[in-house]
mmCIF file of all heavy atoms in Angstrom:
data_model
loop_
_atom_site.group_PDB
_atom_site.id
_atom_site.type_symbol
_atom_site.label_atom_id
_atom_site.label_comp_id
_atom_site.label_asym_id
_atom_site.label_seq_id
_atom_site.Cartn_x
_atom_site.Cartn_y
_atom_site.Cartn_z
ATOM 1 N N THR A 21 -9.924 -7.939 14.198
ATOM 2 C CA THR A 21 -11.391 -7.875 14.249
ATOM 3 C C THR A 21 -11.967 -9.196 13.752
ATOM 4 O O THR A 21 -11.280 -9.991 13.108
ATOM 5 C CB THR A 21 -11.973 -6.755 13.349
ATOM 6 O OG1 THR A 21 -11.818 -7.120 11.977
ATOM 7 C CG2 THR A 21 -11.337 -5.416 13.601
ATOM 8 N N HIS A 50 -15.044 -1.329 14.976
ATOM 9 C CA HIS A 50 -13.783 -0.584 14.915
ATOM 10 C C HIS A 50 -14.003 0.913 14.683
ATOM 11 O O HIS A 50 -13.104 1.730 14.910
ATOM 12 C CB HIS A 50 -12.855 -1.178 13.851
ATOM 13 C CG HIS A 50 -11.420 -1.141 14.271
ATOM 14 N ND1 HIS A 50 -10.833 0.021 14.706
ATOM 15 C CD2 HIS A 50 -10.481 -2.099 14.374
ATOM 16 C CE1 HIS A 50 -9.576 -0.236 15.034
ATOM 17 N NE2 HIS A 50 -9.339 -1.510 14.853
ATOM 18 N N ASN A 51 -15.204 1.299 14.268
ATOM 19 C CA ASN A 51 -15.433 2.740 14.091
ATOM 20 C C ASN A 51 -15.538 3.479 15.430
ATOM 21 O O ASN A 51 -15.768 4.684 15.452
ATOM 22 C CB ASN A 51 -16.654 3.010 13.210
ATOM 23 C CG ASN A 51 -17.958 2.609 13.862
ATOM 24 O OD1 ASN A 51 -17.986 2.192 15.017
ATOM 25 N ND2 ASN A 51 -19.041 2.722 13.116
ATOM 26 N N ILE A 53 -13.156 4.389 17.048
ATOM 27 C CA ILE A 53 -12.103 5.425 17.017
ATOM 28 C C ILE A 53 -12.133 6.209 15.699
ATOM 29 O O ILE A 53 -11.160 6.857 15.325
ATOM 30 C CB ILE A 53 -10.688 4.843 17.264
ATOM 31 C CG1 ILE A 53 -10.392 3.682 16.305
ATOM 32 C CG2 ILE A 53 -10.516 4.421 18.723
ATOM 33 C CD1 ILE A 53 -8.919 3.308 16.265
ATOM 34 N N ARG A 54 -13.270 6.171 15.015
ATOM 35 C CA ARG A 54 -13.365 6.897 13.742
ATOM 36 C C ARG A 54 -13.354 8.400 13.977
ATOM 37 O O ARG A 54 -14.111 8.910 14.802
ATOM 38 C CB ARG A 54 -14.666 6.523 13.042
ATOM 39 C CG ARG A 54 -14.750 7.065 11.639
ATOM 40 C CD ARG A 54 -16.193 7.228 11.205
ATOM 41 N NE ARG A 54 -16.331 7.368 9.771
ATOM 42 C CZ ARG A 54 -15.913 8.421 9.075
ATOM 43 N NH1 ARG A 54 -15.303 9.423 9.690
ATOM 44 N NH2 ARG A 54 -16.096 8.479 7.773
ATOM 45 N N PHE A 63 -12.785 4.534 3.777
ATOM 46 C CA PHE A 63 -13.160 3.264 4.417
ATOM 47 C C PHE A 63 -13.879 2.356 3.429
ATOM 48 O O PHE A 63 -13.702 1.143 3.454
ATOM 49 C CB PHE A 63 -13.990 3.509 5.677
ATOM 50 C CG PHE A 63 -13.206 4.202 6.745
ATOM 51 C CD1 PHE A 63 -13.544 5.476 7.174
ATOM 52 C CD2 PHE A 63 -12.087 3.591 7.308
ATOM 53 C CE1 PHE A 63 -12.794 6.131 8.145
ATOM 54 C CE2 PHE A 63 -11.336 4.242 8.280
ATOM 55 C CZ PHE A 63 -11.698 5.510 8.700
ATOM 56 N N MET A 66 -11.193 0.832 1.516
ATOM 57 C CA MET A 66 -10.505 -0.159 2.355
ATOM 58 C C MET A 66 -11.270 -1.476 2.391
ATOM 59 O O MET A 66 -10.711 -2.547 2.164
ATOM 60 C CB MET A 66 -10.340 0.392 3.774
ATOM 61 C CG MET A 66 -9.556 -0.516 4.679
ATOM 62 S SD MET A 66 -9.880 -0.192 6.432
ATOM 63 C CE MET A 66 -11.329 -1.194 6.640
ATOM 64 N N TRP A 67 -12.585 -1.400 2.649
ATOM 65 C CA TRP A 67 -13.400 -2.618 2.750
ATOM 66 C C TRP A 67 -13.491 -3.341 1.402
ATOM 67 O O TRP A 67 -13.467 -4.571 1.350
ATOM 68 C CB TRP A 67 -14.810 -2.290 3.284
ATOM 69 C CG TRP A 67 -14.814 -2.150 4.784
ATOM 70 C CD1 TRP A 67 -14.872 -0.985 5.496
ATOM 71 C CD2 TRP A 67 -14.746 -3.217 5.753
ATOM 72 N NE1 TRP A 67 -14.838 -1.268 6.849
ATOM 73 C CE2 TRP A 67 -14.764 -2.615 7.027
ATOM 74 C CE3 TRP A 67 -14.651 -4.605 5.655
ATOM 75 C CZ2 TRP A 67 -14.710 -3.362 8.211
ATOM 76 C CZ3 TRP A 67 -14.598 -5.358 6.832
ATOM 77 C CH2 TRP A 67 -14.622 -4.728 8.084
ATOM 78 N N ASN A 82 -7.207 9.022 13.596
ATOM 79 C CA ASN A 82 -8.082 8.366 14.564
ATOM 80 C C ASN A 82 -8.423 9.290 15.728
ATOM 81 O O ASN A 82 -7.662 10.205 16.051
ATOM 82 C CB ASN A 82 -7.416 7.104 15.106
ATOM 83 C CG ASN A 82 -7.578 5.917 14.160
ATOM 84 O OD1 ASN A 82 -8.615 5.772 13.507
ATOM 85 N ND2 ASN A 82 -6.556 5.089 14.081
ATOM 86 N N VAL A 96 -3.771 -3.176 6.635
ATOM 87 C CA VAL A 96 -4.875 -4.044 7.070
ATOM 88 C C VAL A 96 -4.944 -5.250 6.132
ATOM 89 O O VAL A 96 -4.899 -5.080 4.902
ATOM 90 C CB VAL A 96 -6.231 -3.292 7.044
ATOM 91 C CG1 VAL A 96 -7.311 -4.092 7.769
ATOM 92 C CG2 VAL A 96 -6.121 -1.894 7.641
ATOM 93 N N TYR A 109 -9.980 -9.809 10.368
ATOM 94 C CA TYR A 109 -9.008 -8.879 9.794
ATOM 95 C C TYR A 109 -7.996 -8.481 10.855
ATOM 96 O O TYR A 109 -8.251 -8.567 12.066
ATOM 97 C CB TYR A 109 -9.723 -7.642 9.250
ATOM 98 C CG TYR A 109 -10.726 -7.979 8.191
ATOM 99 C CD1 TYR A 109 -12.083 -8.104 8.510
ATOM 100 C CD2 TYR A 109 -10.333 -8.211 6.882
ATOM 101 C CE1 TYR A 109 -13.017 -8.434 7.547
ATOM 102 C CE2 TYR A 109 -11.269 -8.546 5.903
ATOM 103 C CZ TYR A 109 -12.603 -8.659 6.242
ATOM 104 O OH TYR A 109 -13.514 -8.995 5.291
ATOM 105 N N SER A 111 -4.844 -5.516 11.695
ATOM 106 C CA SER A 111 -4.252 -4.234 11.306
ATOM 107 C C SER A 111 -3.049 -3.895 12.164
ATOM 108 O O SER A 111 -3.081 -4.032 13.385
ATOM 109 C CB SER A 111 -5.286 -3.105 11.415
ATOM 110 O OG SER A 111 -4.689 -1.880 11.054
ATOM 111 N N ARG A 113 -0.250 -0.709 12.611
ATOM 112 C CA ARG A 113 -0.063 0.689 12.247
ATOM 113 C C ARG A 113 1.243 1.181 12.820
ATOM 114 O O ARG A 113 1.588 0.859 13.953
ATOM 115 C CB ARG A 113 -1.198 1.547 12.817
ATOM 116 C CG ARG A 113 -2.575 1.048 12.446
ATOM 117 C CD ARG A 113 -3.553 1.367 13.545
ATOM 118 N NE ARG A 113 -4.884 0.841 13.282
ATOM 119 C CZ ARG A 113 -5.343 -0.264 13.837
ATOM 120 N NH1 ARG A 113 -4.601 -0.971 14.678
ATOM 121 N NH2 ARG A 113 -6.553 -0.687 13.561
HETATM 122 C C1 LIG B 201 -8.757 -4.623 11.028
HETATM 123 C C2 LIG B 201 -9.478 -3.322 10.876
HETATM 124 C C3 LIG B 201 -8.936 -2.173 11.423
HETATM 125 C C4 LIG B 201 -9.579 -0.949 11.326
HETATM 126 N N1 LIG B 201 -8.996 0.141 11.897
HETATM 127 C C5 LIG B 201 -9.649 1.314 11.871
HETATM 128 C C6 LIG B 201 -9.089 2.443 12.521
HETATM 129 O O1 LIG B 201 -7.985 2.406 13.088
HETATM 130 N N2 LIG B 201 -9.802 3.604 12.488
HETATM 131 C C7 LIG B 201 -11.006 3.702 11.865
HETATM 132 O O2 LIG B 201 -11.585 4.790 11.885
HETATM 133 N N3 LIG B 201 -11.552 2.648 11.228
HETATM 134 C C8 LIG B 201 -10.896 1.464 11.219
HETATM 135 N N4 LIG B 201 -11.446 0.394 10.575
HETATM 136 C C9 LIG B 201 -12.653 0.614 9.747
HETATM 137 C C10 LIG B 201 -13.945 0.565 10.534
HETATM 138 O O3 LIG B 201 -14.373 -0.779 10.612
HETATM 139 C C11 LIG B 201 -15.046 1.408 9.841
HETATM 140 O O4 LIG B 201 -15.259 0.915 8.539
HETATM 141 C C12 LIG B 201 -14.679 2.895 9.750
HETATM 142 O O5 LIG B 201 -14.316 3.400 11.003
HETATM 143 C C13 LIG B 201 -15.841 3.734 9.170
HETATM 144 O O6 LIG B 201 -16.905 3.650 10.025
HETATM 145 P P1 LIG B 201 -18.372 4.014 9.544
HETATM 146 O O7 LIG B 201 -18.634 3.128 8.346
HETATM 147 O O8 LIG B 201 -19.253 3.713 10.697
HETATM 148 O O9 LIG B 201 -18.327 5.450 9.165
HETATM 149 C C14 LIG B 201 -10.815 -0.854 10.653
HETATM 150 C C15 LIG B 201 -11.385 -2.018 10.097
HETATM 151 C C16 LIG B 201 -10.722 -3.223 10.192
HETATM 152 C C17 LIG B 201 -11.341 -4.463 9.573
#
Side-chain angles (χ1 to χ4, degrees):
T21 71
H50 217 308
N51 68 4
I53 53 166
R54 188 205 197 292
F63 295 115
M66 184 201 85
W67 279 104
N82 278 324
V96 192
Y109 301 98
S111 179
R113 307 148 183 101

